């Protein structure tokens, strides 16, 4: 099962049997199009049905229409679809052709050089020469690179959307080639796994002639579609080509989902079939009886069969049954499916075009990736959201850290961030030019020289997220900023900075005096280790700004580290200076930036031409520092700045970048990263190169990453580990080893809790020193693992586990992830819309809870049910208790007055009343959403998701207003979604941004990806991709509502229309001896649906707006309309059917009586009926149309005009052609007949009277919320605003705390007193969660300390969606003021 | 040295980057047009009692007068109907109806006296009416060949298979083919009445065995005892387009007998199609009685125009008040399918024959609308103001 691309040694290409590189994504060829397309179309049952009916027409005894004519609709529908498919296929063909004809350099044996060839001519085993910025034509194994490090950089944006550069290495055995790679000398065999679609896996080995085997990794493979960057030239051998490349294998087509509405519709289509059969049966029996009454005396009008034989009544009835199926076929709407598709495409188009869903910053708008579930957006009941990157910006800002048990609060940094926030809320643009910032010297007075810098000439960008963003940024500035200054310009804590300086100078001193580094005081060495860990324990790639995408290349001799900084400068600077001329625009930019770069203390003063407020006097006045000032006077500092510039860090995750920037603020900056070496610049010590022995990458199971380096100063093999606190803390060396370590662990844990309570993301940093023997021992097994082909991942995992034990804790960091704009408002509004919001996050509980408060997911006023259990039994017990508690509290005491008031207050929250089928199906008890929040952690969740407990868990969870699952794995996320979706039978939406959300997104009914933050995996898996979380509000409340209501109404209308039209013929059967005769000309009959009545409903289905977008957003409860499927309930189908039958009765019998006993002929009588039916159907649509634009008028006018035009032409064209109706001049005569007009006036009125009257009464007597919303729309804006603000208070009242509710905060009823119920009136210290005993904490909500302003606000105007709230909402705003207080109280409690 | 080389490439890089970048400078921002943002100016009617109410009153106010007008018009139309099926023992045609069958050779005539109690002005239309005759039966409606009737020579000799089993008889094509033609109710035996006398009885004798169809003759019984035959025209009863466009003889001028050579008459007919009338403009396929019959009726109870009694002058009514006699040559059997045969005399108005239904319908619908309007008015007054601001929250 391996493939061996080999060299062509003359003769035939040994690799000829592998797929070539020509791609063909088209489905059809010219020849295969027709059969294949038809075959595909016949997979749809409806098409088969219609073809069956059309074919039935060819049977003479049962035929109802001219067979050729009966084929027309089917052929029409099939050909429309076929043309659509053909067009799509043609576009694919064109793009294929374009791609296939791209050029690349392929080595030619004959010419002994690289020749230009088309992509499609590339074969497996070909040698390809790649140049910078070229796109890879196939999956290529890297054999040689011009890069001295044997590296090749690629950008994988087209594959996964990640724009950061990735390094790929030359295959190890070719590493040592000193000269250029010569394909002729290549003489090895490559064996590798079969083509698969896993982008992150490649296994294989290369067998050299010597018999030596070398393993191949994914690091050696360059994938098709990636772009070569920063590498002048690379040579590789094609491993997979064409359709076998990983990119192509990953390229699966659009997803097909069936929406809830469609499922409901299919049920009703089924009912239509039943109705059809009943009608046909009725007619057949009727015909049999009609025949039977004549007995043997055959009347003249009962024509014999063509053969002249007499048919028995029974046989006639059977034949007639089939005939009736043909005649009544319209009842199953052939055009329904096509119309729905058209309408959905239009809906998608309009959603795409919505300006409100366009994000200026990233130049991206909403993408609908699944075209056929737009209406599901209007029916969501549960939202499952990721936190990081979805609710938050994923803009990681270093906030605080603790090193060796000492906390550095970084107050100045907090203030700085607060300031950014203000600025953001004001106007980002204005800062972009001048960069003037209010100086806040006063508040930062304790700092020697506060740095307040906002020195970027462009608008602040998020870190290198989406391609669009990067592109845009490059357009704007030519120098992409990969992190906003907010994330980069970290103000160091003065205390810590002092320590760092002290430490490094001591180390430097020791180095000079060749003292062992171990003599360093342990707290100081911890500090320096801490920062080294921050700097190197990551995968950050360094690039310099004036050479975008150019890796900084500084290679030091590993064996001979730079001894002094002067030495280094002498060796490296002059040559760089010569090339340091930049365009003026960029130079000013760089100089501006340079002032804050990490190593500035060693450099000269900032450039003179800087136009910014520059307060960079960051140099503590210390002799040492000056003494080590590395820049000789002859060097111009400015040139230095330009050259060195500000190194940019491209990180795979924003946390990493934040930490690297944080370390740089302490002048411990990462200056270069090579596969085997990391260069760090330290104060006083200069550039140090760490030999990188191993990198054990981050994964979600280990939740940590480690690097193994050789420390250049101590020459020890050191492991630096960085990871989630929960895992790291468990890996810390048993504390009995040292009192100090114990104390550090204890303190750090406390600080970690504090950080989490502040909503910070916490990471622990630890290190471990390995002895040579230990390392050798580990290395051996690790290498075995690396070279294993089978189970390599598992082995590597185990190997990592072996290494990451007995760590020594260095410290912890707190990184802040700010909430995205408008998240609290969106959540509040979605919740008012009756959506249950669950947040599933991998963060730790305290962090998650705090973010939840900040984004208004949890309300300070509501109780929190916390479930933390250590075992299955404990979890069961906990759930049981919670259930009892909820019941006792909210159900048992219903006689209580207060509870009564409570219930009435909560009436709007009875989202799924018992009458609704969705809830009654699985649970008989109507359930209510209570003022409860549920917090559950990953471990407990794992227990709760067990089969035995899931029902209980759901019972608890569904009664809670919000659910927060912390520490959940991707799998758990998807399990939760699946559980809710399957058990509660509700519509679920999952929203997330990262790869860890993919499974959840795929499981949910609708998956939404947030684009442009963490790669594209989530977007690739999603049905809709949003640039920002807050757009979800408009997407659901407005577009979802519209799409649902439009489509629901259109489907109902379709059923009505066809039933009404078919019933006309059915009534006629009573007057034609049930002979299957139709008074409606077969042309009208067949084209009525397809042409005459098709356009208005499409227009209405696409454009109708029941309520304006503004009102829908202001009154989110209108969304409940879709959740409860109020536009299209099962009974509505039957009501529509009854109405249809009534209307058809009117349309039939008014002409019947008007022409009774007259000399009217069949089709002169039938044509007015057709006309009347058309008028009635169109006017019916008119009643149901809520918004009349010129398009509606036009379409209705067009429909009528089309009908008359066609009728007149048809009736004038040929006197003999249209057998049997032969309607020559019928319409023309009718138009001269006053009776026709009289009929046209009265019949539609009489037919639509009940519906019109009903609608009017409904509008007045029991208006639905939607109708009220519409009335609101009509009001002048002034009055409307007043009413809305009024109603907001009113609507909000059940939510806002009221006296009856407050009583609930009293000790709970009996059933719950077992519980450890604690209240935290003033402290937000999280409950200790490490106890063996399970506990449920009902945390009373007075969290006034954390968010005093928020809780106050929530009392006064909870639902005011005014701008002022936006900038004050995110909790970070409060941070500067509360931080100190919180710390203080915390310290007291210690 | 390294740096310089990178700088050089830097420039390259920039060119390649800004190349596509220039293209993407155009932002993806959606256009702010009313259509794309779904903000087209629109009329948004809200159906409530208050808004709908005027429509109901207006409809009511329009429909009731129209209805009254129609009702009066319909009532002014004079219509007289005689059922001559002969179901009752007392009926003059009872005997004829009892012992008649399709292949009977014996003619049967019956005379029905009747009294018109008011004079008929203007043109009077004489219809024959059939009940329970399903001319709209699916297979019956189809059983014709329009090309043949349009004078297509090929179709004449090769009738369409739609005509089966009435396409060929004794290996000769039937002209006109099909069940409709075969079952023709009426055809005036004028051809044999070249020497028409005042006595219709005479006429019967001549034409006795020539036609299946019933023949109706109307006589005015003068108060002084004489029986005056009412003159009737047999042309102008079919649609102009039918007579001149749809139906055509195979050739216009030539001898019809020769043209139809090689064809045979429909099985139930007693005479070939080219002997329907002596008038060449009313013979063959363009015989108007034939054309009228071929226009299949919509409902099982129908009437077809038989003759027009033209108005002589404006002073004298077309049909005076008094006693009349209808003489029927009873040929067409309807008893087998419980059919009824009628003769109808009617004047017409602009809206056609007498039919009070539309007038009543208009009055009813108008009244209902008016009534519902009043209901809505009450609703509006009682509940209409509920929709104020306080209610919106619900």
């Amino acid at each position: 099962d391996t493939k061996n691309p080999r060299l062509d040694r003359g003769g035939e290409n040994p690799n000829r049997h592998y797929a070539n590189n020509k791609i063909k994504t088209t489905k059809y060829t010219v020849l295969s199009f027709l059969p294949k397309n038809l075959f595909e179309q016949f997979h749809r049952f409806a098409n088969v049905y219609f073809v069956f009916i059309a074919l039935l027409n060819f049977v003479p005894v049962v035929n109802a229409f001219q067979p050729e004519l009966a084929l027309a609709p089917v052929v029409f529908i099939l050909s429309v679809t076929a043309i659509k498919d053909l067009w799509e296929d043609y576009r694919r063909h064109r793009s294929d052709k374009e791609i296939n004809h791209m050029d690349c350099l392929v080595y030619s044996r004959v010419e002994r050089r690289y020749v230009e060839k088309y992509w499609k001519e590339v074969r497996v085993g070909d040698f390809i020469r790649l140049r910078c910025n070229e796109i890879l034509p196939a999956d290529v194994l890297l054999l040689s690179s011009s890069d001295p490090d044997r590296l090749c950089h690629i950008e994988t944006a087209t594959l996964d959307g990640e724009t950061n550069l990735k390094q790929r290495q030359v295959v190890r055995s070719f590493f040592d080639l000193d000269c250029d790679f010569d394909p002729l000398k290549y003489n090895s065999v490559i064996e590798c796994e079969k083509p698969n679609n896993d982008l992150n896996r490649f296994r294989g080995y290369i067998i050299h002639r010597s018999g030596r085997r070398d393993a191949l990794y994914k690091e050696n493979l360059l994938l098709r579609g990636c772009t070569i960057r920063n590498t002048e030239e690379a040579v590789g051998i094609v491993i997979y080509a064409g359709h076998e490349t990983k990119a192509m294998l990953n390229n699966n087509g659009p997803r097909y989902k069936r929406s809830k509405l469609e499922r409901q519709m299919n049920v009703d289509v089924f009912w239509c079939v039943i109705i059809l059969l009943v009608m046909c049966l009725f007619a057949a029996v009727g015909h049999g009886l009609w025949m039977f009454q004549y007995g043997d005396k055959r009347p003249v009008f009962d024509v014999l069969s063509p053969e002249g034989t007499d048919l028995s009544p029974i046989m006639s009835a059977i034949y007639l049954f089939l005939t009736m199926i043909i005649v009544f076929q319209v009842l199953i709407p052939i055009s329904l499916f096509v119309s729905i598709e058209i309408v959905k495409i239009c809906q998608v188009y309009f959603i795409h075009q919505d300006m409100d869903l366009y994000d200026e910053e990233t130049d991206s708008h909403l993408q609908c990736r699944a075209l056929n579930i737009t209406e599901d957006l209007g029916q969501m009941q549960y939202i499952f959201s990721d936190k990081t990157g979805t609710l938050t910006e994923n803009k990681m800002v270093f906030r605080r850290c603790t090193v060796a048990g000492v906390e550095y609060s970084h107050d100045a940094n907090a203030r700085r961030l607060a300031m950014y926030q203000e600025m953001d809320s004001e106007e980002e643009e204005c800062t972009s030019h001048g960069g003037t910032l209010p100086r806040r010297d006063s508040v930062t007075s304790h700092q020697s020289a506060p740095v307040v810098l906002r020195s970027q000439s462009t608008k602040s960008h998020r870190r290198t997220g989406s391609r669009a963003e990067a592109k845009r940024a490059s357009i704007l500035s030519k120098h992409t900023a990969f992190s906003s200054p907010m994330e980069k310009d970290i103000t160091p804590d003065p205390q810590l900075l002092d320590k760092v300086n002290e430490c490094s100078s001591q180390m430097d001193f020791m180095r000079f005096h060749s003292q062992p580094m171990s003599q360093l005081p342990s707290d100081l060495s911890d500090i320096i280790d801490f920062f080294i860990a921050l700097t190197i324990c990551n995968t950050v790639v360094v690039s310099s700004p004036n050479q975008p995408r150019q890796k900084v290349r500084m290679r030091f001799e590993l064996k001979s580290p730079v001894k002094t900084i002067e030495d280094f400068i002498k060796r490296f600077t002059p040559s760089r200076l010569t090339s340091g001329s930049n365009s003026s625009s960029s130079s000013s930019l760089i100089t501006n930036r340079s002032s804050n770069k990490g190593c500035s203390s060693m450099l000269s003063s900032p450039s003179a031409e800087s136009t910014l407020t520059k307060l960079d006097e960051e140099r503590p006045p210390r002799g040492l520092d000056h003494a080590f000032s590395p820049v000789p006077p002859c060097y111009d500092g400015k040139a230095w700045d330009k050259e060195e510039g500000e190194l940019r860090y491209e990180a795979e995750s924003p946390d990493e970048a934040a930490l690297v920037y944080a370390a740089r603020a302490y002048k411990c900056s990462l200056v270069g990263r090579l596969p085997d070496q990391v260069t760090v610049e330290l104060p006083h010590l200069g550039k140090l190169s760490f030999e990188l022995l191993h990198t054990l990458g981050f994964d979600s199971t280990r939740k940590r990453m480690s690097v193994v380096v050789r420390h250049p100063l101590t020459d020890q093999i050191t492991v630096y580990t960085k990871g989630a606190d929960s895992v790291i803390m468990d890996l810390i060396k048993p504390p009995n080893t040292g009192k100090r370590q114990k104390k550090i662990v204890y303190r750090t844990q406390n600080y970690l809790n504090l950080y989490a309570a502040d909503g910070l993301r916490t990471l622990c940093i630890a290190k471990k020193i390995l002895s040579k023997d230990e390392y050798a021992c580990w290395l051996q097994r690790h290498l075995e693992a690396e070279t294993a082909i089978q189970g390599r991942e598992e082995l590597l995992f185990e190997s990592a586990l072996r290494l990451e034990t007995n760590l020594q804790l260095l410290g912890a960091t707190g990184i802040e992830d700010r909430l995205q704009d408008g998240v609290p408002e969106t959540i509040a509004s979605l919740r008012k819309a009756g959506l249950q919001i669950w947040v599933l996050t991998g963060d730790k509980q305290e962090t998650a809870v705090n973010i939840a408060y900040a984004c208004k997911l949890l309300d300070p006023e509501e109780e929190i049910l916390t479930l933390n259990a250590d075992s299955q039994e404990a979890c069961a017990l906990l759930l049981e208790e919670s259930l009892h508690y909820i019941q006792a509290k909210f159900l048992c005491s219903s006689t209580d007055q207060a509870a009564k008031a409570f219930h009435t207050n909560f009436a709007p929250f009875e989202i799924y009343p018992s009458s609704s089928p969705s809830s009654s199906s699985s649970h008989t008890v109507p359930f209510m959403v209570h003022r409860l929040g549920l917090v559950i952690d990953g471990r407990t969740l794992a227990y709760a998701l067990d089969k035995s407990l899931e029902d209980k868990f759901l019972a608890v969870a569904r009664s809670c207003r919000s659910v927060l699952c912390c520490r959940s794995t991707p799998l758990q996320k998807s399990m939760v979604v699946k559980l809710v979706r399957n058990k509660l039978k509700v519509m679920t939406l999952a929203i997330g941004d990262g790869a860890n959300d993919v499974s959840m997104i795929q499981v949910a009914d609708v998956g939404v990806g947030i684009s442009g933050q963490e790669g594209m995996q989530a977007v690739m898996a999603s049905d809709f991709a949003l640039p920002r979380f807050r757009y979800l509000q408009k997407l659901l409340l407005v577009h979802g509502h519209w799409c649902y209501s439009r489509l629901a109404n259109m489907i109902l209308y379709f059923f009505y229309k066809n039933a009404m039209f078919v019933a006309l013929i059915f009534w006629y059967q009573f007057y034609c001896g049930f002979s299957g005769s139709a008074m409606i000309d077969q042309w009208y009959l067949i084209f009525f649906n397809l042409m005459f009545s098709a356009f208005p409903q499409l227009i209405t289905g696409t454009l109708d707006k029941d309520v304006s977008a503004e009102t829908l957003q202001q009154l989110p409860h209108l969304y409940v309309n879709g959740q409860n499927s109020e536009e299209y309930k099962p009974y509505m189908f039957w009501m529509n059917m009854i109405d249809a039958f009534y209307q058809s009765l009117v349309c039939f019998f008014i002409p019947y009586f008007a022409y009774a006993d007259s000399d009217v002929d069949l089709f002169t009588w039938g044509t007015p009926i057709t006309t009347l039916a058309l008028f009635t159907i169109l006017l019916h649509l008119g009643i149901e149309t809520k918004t009349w634009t010129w398009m509606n008028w036009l379409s209705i006018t067009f429909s009528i005009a089309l009908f008359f035009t066609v009728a007149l032409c048809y009736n004038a064209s040929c006197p003999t052609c249209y057998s049997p109706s032969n309607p020559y001049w019928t319409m023309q005569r009718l138009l001269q007949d006053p009776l026709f007009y009289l009929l046209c006036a009265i019949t539609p009125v009489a037919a639509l009277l009940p519906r019109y009257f009903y609608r009017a009464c409904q509008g007045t007597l029991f208006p639905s919320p939607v109708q009220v919303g519409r009335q609101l729309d009509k009001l002048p804006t002034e009055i409307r605003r007043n009413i809305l603000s009024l109603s907001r208070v009113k609507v909000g009242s059940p939510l806002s705390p009221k006296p009856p509710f407050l009583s609930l905060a009293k000790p709970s009823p009996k059933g719950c007193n077992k519980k450890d119920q604690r209240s935290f009136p003033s402290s937000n210290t999280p409950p200790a969660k490490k106890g063996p005993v399970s506990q449920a904490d009902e945390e009373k909500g007075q969290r006034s300390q954390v968010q005093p302003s928020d809780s106050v606000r929530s009392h006064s105007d909870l639902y005011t969606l005014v701008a002022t709230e936006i900038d004050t909402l995110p909790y970070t705003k409060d941070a500067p003021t509360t931080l100190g207080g919180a710390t203080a109280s915390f310290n007291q409690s210690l | 040295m390294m740096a310089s080389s990178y700088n050089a490439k830097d420039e390259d890089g920039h060119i390649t980057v800004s190349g596509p970048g220039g293209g993407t400078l155009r932002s993806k921002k959606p256009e702010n047009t009313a259509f794309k943002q779904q903000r087209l100016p629109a009329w948004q009617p809200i159906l409530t009692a208050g808004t709908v109410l005027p429509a109901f009153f207006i409809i009511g106010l329009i429909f009731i007068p129209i209805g009254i007008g129609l009702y009066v018009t319909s009532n002014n139309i004079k219509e007289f109907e005689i059922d001559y099926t002969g179901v009752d023992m007392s009926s003059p045609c009872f005997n004829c109806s009892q012992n008649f069958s399709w292949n009977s050779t014996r003619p049967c005539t019956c005379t029905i006296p009747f009294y018109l109690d008011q004079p008929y002005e203007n043109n009077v239309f004489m219809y024959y009416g059939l009940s329970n005759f399903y001319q709209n039966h699916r297979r019956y409606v189809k059983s014709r060949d329009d090309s043949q009737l349009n004078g297509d020579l090929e179709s004449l000799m090769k009738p369409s298979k739609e005509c089966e089993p009435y396409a060929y008889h004794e290996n000769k094509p039937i002209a006109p083919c099909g069940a409709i033609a075969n079952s023709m109710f009426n055809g005036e035996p004028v051809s044999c009445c070249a020497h028409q006398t005042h006595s219709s009885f005479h006429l019967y004798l001549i034409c006795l065995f020539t036609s299946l169809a019933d023949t109706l003759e109307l006589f005015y019984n003068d108060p002084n005892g004489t029986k005056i035959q009412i003159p009737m025209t047999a042309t102008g009863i079919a649609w102009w387009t039918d007579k001149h466009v749809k139906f055509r003889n195979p050739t216009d001028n030539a001898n019809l007998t020769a043209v139809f050579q090689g064809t045979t008459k429909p099985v139930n007919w007693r005479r070939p199609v080219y002997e329907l009338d002596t008038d060449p403009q009313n013979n063959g396929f363009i015989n108007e009685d034939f054309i009228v019959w071929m226009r299949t009726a919509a409902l099982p109870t129908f009437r077809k125009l038989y003759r027009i009694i033209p108005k002589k002058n404006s002073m004298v009514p077309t049909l005076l008040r008094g006693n009349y006699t209808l003489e029927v040559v009873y040929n067409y059997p309807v008893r087998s399918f419980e059919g009824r045969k009628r003769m109808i005399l009617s004047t017409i108005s602009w809206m056609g024959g007498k039919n009070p239904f539309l007038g009543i319908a208009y009055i009813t619908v108008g009244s209902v609308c008016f009534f519902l309007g009043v209901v809505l008015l009450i609703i509006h007054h009682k509940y209409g103001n509920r929709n104020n601001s306080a209610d919106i929250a619900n």
Side-chain angles (χ1 to χ4, degrees), chain A residues 133 478-479 546 548, chain B residues 9-19:
Chain A
N133 298 328
K478 282 195 173 179
H479 292 278
N546 49 352
Chain B
K9 211 161 54 174
D10 183 20
E11 292 303 310
D12 282 348
H14 266 293
I15 289 158
T16 46
V17 165
S18 61

Side-chain angles (χ1 to χ4, degrees), chain A residues 10-57:
Chain A
E12 276 191 300
N13 188 335
N15 301 313
R16 64 187 175 279
H17 49 277
Y18 295 121
N20 66 6
N21 204 35
K22 182 174 180 176
I23 57 158
K24 185 175 147 302
T25 55
T26 55
K27 277 199 280 189
Y28 314 108
T29 63
V30 177
L31 278 179
S32 76
F33 174 72
L34 211 58
K36 207 169 168 184
N37 186 260
L38 283 179
F39 178 74
E40 273 169 21
Q41 289 203 44
F42 286 141
H43 276 297
R44 179 173 267 178
F45 174 74
N47 285 340
V48 180
Y49 167 79
F50 291 116
V51 168
F52 163 73
I53 283 181
L55 292 179
L56 208 57
N57 246 310

Side-chain angles (χ1 to χ4, degrees), chain B residues 148 155-159 166-175 177 260 262-265:
Chain B
Q148 193 189 46
S155 299
L156 185 69
M157 292 304 159
K158 272 190 193 158
Y166 305 103
Y168 292 94
H169 185 63
E170 291 162 352
N171 288 329
K172 278 185 179 173
I174 297 174
C177 74
F260 283 102
T263 66
T264 181
K265 66 176 177 57

Side-chain angles (χ1 to χ4, degrees), chain A residues 4 61 320 526 821 842 869 880 906 920 923 930 938 943 1122 1127 1291 1298 1307 1335:
Chain A
N4 339 328
V61 276
L320 188 91
D526 275 357
D821 280 351
E880 194 69 42
F906 270 75
S920 60
H923 297 260
H930 302 297
Y943 301 132
E1127 300 283 336
V1291 172
K1298 287 276 186 259
Q1335 53 172 242

Side-chain angles (χ1 to χ4, degrees), chain A residues 875-934:
Chain A
C875 180
L877 196 68
L878 211 55
L879 286 172
E880 194 69 42
E881 282 177 0
S882 312
L883 213 54
H884 280 310
Y885 175 72
I886 292 165
Q887 277 167 359
K889 198 162 202 177
F890 297 102
L891 297 173
C892 314
S893 59
S894 58
T895 47
D896 200 327
Q897 276 296 58
K900 240 182 207 165
F902 169 82
H903 278 292
T904 46
N905 252 357
F906 270 75
F909 270 96
E910 200 174 330
I911 293 168
Y912 314 111
S914 50
S915 61
S916 109
S918 63
S919 66
S920 60
S921 60
S922 51
H923 297 260
T924 44
V925 189
F927 98 98
M928 245 185 228
V929 179
H930 302 297
R931 287 187 77 71
L932 271 175
L934 179 72

Side-chain angles (χ1 to χ4, degrees), chain A residues 64 242 281 378 433 442 458 469 558 587 638 754 776 780 835 947 1108 1189 1267-1268 1295 1336-1337:
Chain A
L281 205 65
H433 310 297
S442 54
T458 61
E469 184 182 81
L558 277 178
S587 87
K638 181 180 143 199
L754 185 69
Q780 193 187 354
L835 285 155
K947 276 270 175 286
S1108 72
T1189 62
Q1267 277 164 318
V1268 179
L1295 275 173
D1337 299 314

Side-chain angles (χ1 to χ4, degrees), chain A residues 305-353:
Chain A
S305 68
E307 294 77 38
T309 51
D310 202 354
L311 283 170
S312 73
I314 292 170
M315 277 315 287
S316 307
I318 292 170
Y319 285 147
L320 188 91
F321 181 80
L322 295 172
T323 306
M324 291 316 274
I325 288 184
I326 303 172
V327 176
F328 292 158
Q329 64 171 326
V330 191
L331 193 61
I332 315 294
I334 189 169
S335 49
L336 175 64
F337 302 99
V338 180
S339 304
I340 287 177
E341 258 172 44
I342 294 173
V343 164
K344 280 182 180 174
I345 287 170
C346 295
Q347 286 178 343
V348 165
Y349 170 79
F350 280 117
I351 295 177
H352 269 262
Q353 290 298 325

